């Protein structure tokens, strides 16, 4: 049985509980991070913690633990659960108090929960065969740059993608692609340019996206930040997604239109290799 961290305690997963009055449960008043584990080590950890602070800051949520404590908790869970490859999920909510739209952050003790999921991340069906994407309208709220647990629309979007015979959905707002349900979206144009939309309140500033941009820049291939339509994506040479748990995931079709001959493209696979190699060098 897995060991889960809940508010200072390491407990068996069936004893891991939070209050029904928790604002994360009642109002989705919570933030989260997912850090991947390769070879028992944490990938991009400092960047995930920096984004946690940013999310908390944007919502006026207190973080009562130090970054050193957070690293120690991550490592303890990885070790207790023997995670070689997988993810550590961290969720922090504003805390539990009788239900009211109004709240006083100073009177609330944040809830902190972490658990692990062991699963292959490198040798996966997506990496080998790629993924099929469908487009859906982006009906999320206006602050998608904050990593909140308000994930109902992305979850329903992924269900719709599955019902339509695909693996995931890319969301479209104001005529341009924002991002995937749980990942950032990229295309490789027929001229070889790697393109992803710029950061704004409309998308999550992906940690994998930022790392990929930095590694590419260092290799002399910069990633262009500009908006693109779903039509441009369908006409691209390649497309791919980035996220902490998939790294770089090849896209082989969009709304039924095949890309790169229906198999993962060479630029995408090159970026995936670079990302894995470079992030392993920095793993904690
Ligand atoms: N965009 C959304 C909406 C996400 O939920 C995620 C990850 O969960 C990402 C992008 C990718 O971010 P990261 O690379 O930090 O995992």
């Amino acid at each position: 049985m897995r060991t889960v961290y809940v508010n200072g305690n390491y407990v068996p997963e069936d004893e891991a509980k939070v209050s029904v009055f928790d604002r994360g449960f009642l109002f989705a008043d919570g933030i989260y991070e997912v850090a991947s584990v390769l070879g028992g080590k944490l990938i991009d950890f400092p960047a995930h913690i920096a984004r946690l602070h940013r999310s908390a800051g944007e919502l006026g949520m207190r973080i009562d633990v130090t970054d050193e404590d957070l690293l120690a908790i991550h490592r303890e869970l990885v070790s207790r659960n023997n995670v070689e490859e997988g993810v550590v999920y961290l969720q922090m909510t504003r805390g539990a108090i009788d239900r009211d739209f109004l709240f006083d952050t100073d009177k609330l003790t944040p809830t902190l929960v972490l658990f692990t999921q062991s699963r292959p991340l490198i040798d996966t069906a997506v990496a080998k065969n790629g993924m099929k994407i469908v487009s859906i309208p982006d009906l999320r709220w206006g602050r998608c740059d904050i990593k909140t647990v308000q994930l109902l629309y992305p979850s329903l979007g992924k269900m719709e993608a599955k019902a339509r015979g695909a693996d995931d959905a890319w969301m479209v707002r104001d005529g341009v692609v924002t991002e995937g349900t749980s990942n950032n979206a990229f295309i490789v144009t027929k001229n070889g340019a790697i393109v992803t939309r710029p950061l704004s309140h409309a998308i999550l500033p992906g940690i994998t996206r930022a790392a990929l941009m930095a590694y590419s820049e260092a290799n002399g291939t910069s990633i262009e930040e500009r908006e693109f339509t779903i039509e441009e994506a369908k006409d691209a040479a390649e497309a791919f997604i980035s996220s902490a748990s998939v790294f770089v995931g090849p896209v082989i079709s969009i709304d039924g239109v095949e890309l790169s001959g229906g198999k993962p493209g060479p630029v995408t696979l090159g970026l995936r290799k670079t990302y894995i190699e470079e992030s392993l060098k920095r793993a904690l």
Side-chain angles (χ1 to χ4, degrees), residues 72-136:
I73 299 166
H74 276 75
R75 284 182 163 159
E76 185 67 22
L77 280 182
V78 166
S79 149
R80 286 195 192 210
N81 295 314
N82 300 313
V83 184
E84 264 303 298
E85 214 165 302
V87 298
V88 181
Y89 176 90
L90 173 159
Q91 178 165 330
M92 189 176 286
T93 75
R94 204 180 300 270
I97 194 158
D98 202 3
R99 186 176 184 276
D100 190 346
F101 280 71
L102 296 172
F103 57 85
D104 182 348
T105 300
D106 294 339
K107 294 210 177 91
L108 283 154
T109 305
T111 300
L112 179 61
V113 170
L114 287 93
F115 57 82
T116 58
Q117 292 180 327
S118 284
R119 62 168 184 264
L121 299 181
I122 293 193
D123 231 343
T124 62
V126 162
K128 198 157 156 261
N129 307 321
M131 55 206 285
K132 295 180 180 164
I133 297 294
V134 289
S135 59
I136 59 172

Side-chain angles (χ1 to χ4, degrees), residues 34-57:
V34 180
S36 59
V37 177
L38 287 179
K41 289 195 167 166
L42 295 156
I43 302 298
D44 284 333
F45 184 78
H48 284 287
I49 295 307
R51 187 172 61 187
L52 182 73
H53 281 285
R54 180 182 182 275
S55 297

